[in-house]
């Protein structure tokens, strides 16, 4: 009996050895493929959300990451890069003020953006020393992030030094945006479209009157087609949070339903892909460190992933990022709900023009999404 048992064992071993030698190539590589798959799909909790992930709502990926980002090229000038560092914005207004008549479109746009950022902040901020003391009082004793939080706070507030004694008004900001837009600046075009829409919506009587006009849609299309990160971010805010152009909440070739919580961050991610400052010194990252103690993030994307978005929202935002990038690259404005002919079909009561606009241009846009993780 023992001899028979040993013969069976030996025969089985020989069979396994023969199979390893003679098996087909595709089967021979099965373990290698499985290992590669495991690396590309790490366990939950360590996985980086991307185009290949599917959220519970069943949204389909519009593209692969390589397709969506193949044409991603930073279009920022040296001045735009300097502006986004946020170290001192007053110099950008001073550059315009030194030669208003000779200022080009970008100089006017950056001056307007500096005014919009700092006018609201200066108007609503308590005296500097009192504000800083209030901030210091909120810090917890022995918190290892305290030094980073103080540094972030100082950097944020240094950005608007020098604006306190200027007697400029929101109308000056609106004028500069309008002049920059007329001269072809894409970021200014998006800003003007947003301002015109907000004035229009004040007098709107129904959903149809709250849709954007054909002229506004044309400004948005021009802004997005430019690839300019300022323009992309501003147009995305307008389409996602400020207007009812996408009131049906459907996007893409399949008309997928979307949640603004997921779509808003997608525009931010696309602006990052196009060269916006999304590093450790991005304003939003600094704000999170100073106010919440969420310090140590090296990119805006990672900060948003772990502090503002749920895993599903982050995955969906990445998917929308790819879809939006593809739609812009192909000129498929219908996929974004902003093609010619998709504007409002009725004229609202008391239509506005840039000259009659009264909205304070320094009023900040609605928040970009939830400030904590959820869902």
């Amino acid at each position: 009996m023992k001899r028979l048992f040993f013969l069976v064992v030996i025969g089985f071993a020989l069979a396994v050895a023969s199979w390893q030698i003679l098996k087909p190539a595709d089967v021979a590589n099965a373990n290698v493929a499985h290992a590669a798959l495991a690396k590309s799909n790490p366990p939950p909790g360590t996985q980086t959300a991307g185009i290949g992930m599917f959220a519970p709502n069943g949204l389909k990926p519009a593209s692969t990451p390589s397709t969506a980002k193949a044409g991603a090229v930073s279009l920022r000038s040296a001045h735009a890069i300097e502006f986004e560092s946020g170290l001192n914005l007053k110099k950008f207004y001073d550059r315009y003020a030194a030669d208003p008549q000779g200022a080009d479109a970008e100089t006017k746009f950056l001056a307007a953006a500096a005014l919009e950022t700092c006018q609201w902040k200066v108007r609503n901020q308590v005296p500097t020393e009192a504000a800083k003391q209030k901030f210091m009082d909120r810090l917890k004793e022995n918190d290892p992030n305290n030094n980073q939080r103080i540094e972030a706070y100082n950097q944020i507030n240094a950005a608007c030094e020098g604006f306190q004694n200027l007697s400029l008004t929101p109308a000056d900001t609106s004028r500069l945006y309008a002049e920059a837009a007329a001269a072809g600046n894409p970021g200014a075009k998006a800003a003007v479209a947003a301002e015109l829409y907000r004035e229009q919506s004040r007098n709107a009587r129904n959903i149809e009157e709250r849709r954007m006009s054909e002229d506004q849609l044309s400004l948005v299309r021009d802004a997005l087609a430019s690839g300019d990160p300022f323009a992309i971010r501003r147009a995305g805010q307008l389409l996602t949070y400020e207007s009812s152009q996408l009131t049906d909440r459907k996007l893409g070739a399949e008309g997928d339903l979307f949640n603004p919580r997921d779509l808003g961050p997608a525009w931010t991610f696309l602006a990052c892909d196009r060269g916006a400052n999304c590093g450790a010194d991005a304003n939003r990252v600094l704000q999170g460190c100073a106010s919440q103690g969420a310090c140590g993030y090296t990119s805006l994307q990672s900060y948003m992933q772990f502090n503002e978005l749920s895993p599903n929202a982050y995955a969906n935002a990445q998917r929308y990022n790819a879809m939006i990038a593809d739609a812009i690259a192909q000129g498929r404005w219908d996929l974004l709900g902003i093609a010619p002919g998709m504007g409002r079909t009725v004229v609202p009561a008391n239509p506005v023009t840039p000259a009659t606009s009264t909205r304070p241009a320094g009023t900040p846009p609605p928040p970009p999404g939830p400030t904590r993780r959820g869902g």
Side-chain angles (χ1 to χ4, degrees):
M1 180 65 67
K2 290 183 179 180
R3 182 179 179 184
L4 178 61
F5 174 76
F6 284 119
L7 288 174
V8 170
V9 172
I10 292 171
F12 179 76
L14 289 173
V16 171
S18 299
W19 166 249
Q20 291 293 328
I21 295 172
L22 299 175
K23 63 185 175 181
D26 57 340
V27 179
N29 293 329
N31 288 338
V32 176
H34 180 75
L37 181 62
K39 288 183 179 180
S40 64
N41 294 278
T46 62
Q47 187 173 32
T48 300
I51 304 304
M53 294 176 61
F54 282 80
N57 63 7
L59 288 176
K60 295 179 286 296
S63 173
T64 62
S66 58
T67 300
K69 298 183 180 182
V73 177
S74 174
L75 299 179
R76 296 184 303 167
S77 68
H79 286 168
I81 293 173
E82 184 183 6
F83 180 91
E84 284 211 289
S85 71
L87 296 179
N88 187 296
L89 300 183
K90 175 67 160 46
K91 68 174 66 174
F92 294 94
Y93 177 77
D94 291 343
R95 184 177 290 141
Y96 159 76
D99 185 14
Q101 300 302 319
D104 61 14
E106 183 184 57
T107 299
K108 291 180 178 180
F109 169 74
L110 293 178
L115 287 178
E116 183 174 21
T117 299
C118 293
Q119 279 181 336
W120 180 86
K121 185 174 182 179
V122 170
R123 284 200 310 269
N124 292 277
Q125 189 177 36
V126 295
T128 304
E129 291 303 319
K132 186 166 185 178
Q133 186 58 51
K134 185 176 181 180
F135 166 77
M136 297 293 291
D137 291 342
R138 291 201 306 266
L139 299 179
K140 296 179 180 179
E141 189 176 358
N142 299 322
D143 185 336
N145 287 332
N146 279 347
N147 288 338
Q148 293 183 68
R149 296 183 68 178
I150 294 171
E151 183 180 352
Y153 177 89
N154 289 336
Q155 187 169 339
I156 292 167
N157 286 278
C160 290
E161 287 183 357
F163 277 102
Q164 288 83 351
N165 299 322
L166 289 180
S167 58
L168 297 168
T169 68
D172 294 303
T173 305
S174 298
R175 174 181 55 78
L176 284 173
Y177 273 139
E179 290 178 6
N185 182 271
K189 288 183 179 182
V192 169
E195 183 165 354
L196 288 173
Y197 176 79
R198 281 191 289 268
E199 288 299 326
Q200 168 192 315
S201 65
R202 292 175 58 190
N203 301 313
R205 296 164 296 184
N206 51 54
I207 290 293
E208 183 57 35
E209 287 188 2
R210 289 187 177 89
R211 289 188 184 274
M212 297 174 68
S213 70
E214 290 295 327
D215 288 342
Q216 292 162 12
L217 291 183
S218 178
L219 287 171
V220 171
R221 289 193 298 270
D222 287 349
L224 293 177
S226 73
D228 180 89
F230 288 111
I232 289 171
R233 192 159 46 201
R234 193 59 169 266
Q237 289 176 345
L238 172 60
L239 292 174
T240 305
Y241 303 117
E242 300 177 38
S243 80
S244 59
Q245 181 64 26
L246 304 181
T247 188
D248 295 332
R249 293 193 172 184
K250 293 183 179 181
L251 284 177
E254 303 298 326
D256 290 321
L257 294 174
F258 74 89
N259 187 322
R261 177 199 64 181
D262 306 335
L263 182 62
W267 295 100
T268 299
F269 294 157
L270 181 58
C272 291
D273 293 341
R274 291 297 188 265
N277 178 20
C278 297
D281 61 343
N283 185 266
R284 200 154 156 185
V285 177
L286 294 175
Q287 290 280 4
C289 178
S291 63
Q292 302 175 26
C295 304
Y297 291 94
T298 59
S299 72
L300 175 58
Q301 296 94 319
S302 61
Y303 170 78
M304 293 174 64
Q305 179 182 4
F306 295 108
N307 292 277
E308 295 183 352
L309 305 174
S310 70
N312 285 342
Y314 181 79
N316 287 341
Q318 293 283 30
R319 221 172 356 264
Y320 286 132
N321 178 7
M323 185 275 288
I324 294 169
D326 285 344
I328 294 173
Q330 299 169 24
R332 290 292 307 276
W333 305 117
D334 56 307
L335 300 183
L336 301 179
I338 58 173
M342 288 186 168
R344 65 171 184 255
T345 58
V346 296
V347 178
N350 302 318
V352 298
T353 64
T356 61
S357 176
T358 58
R359 181 193 66 86
T363 303
T371 58
R372 61 181 179 84
R373 300 185 60 154

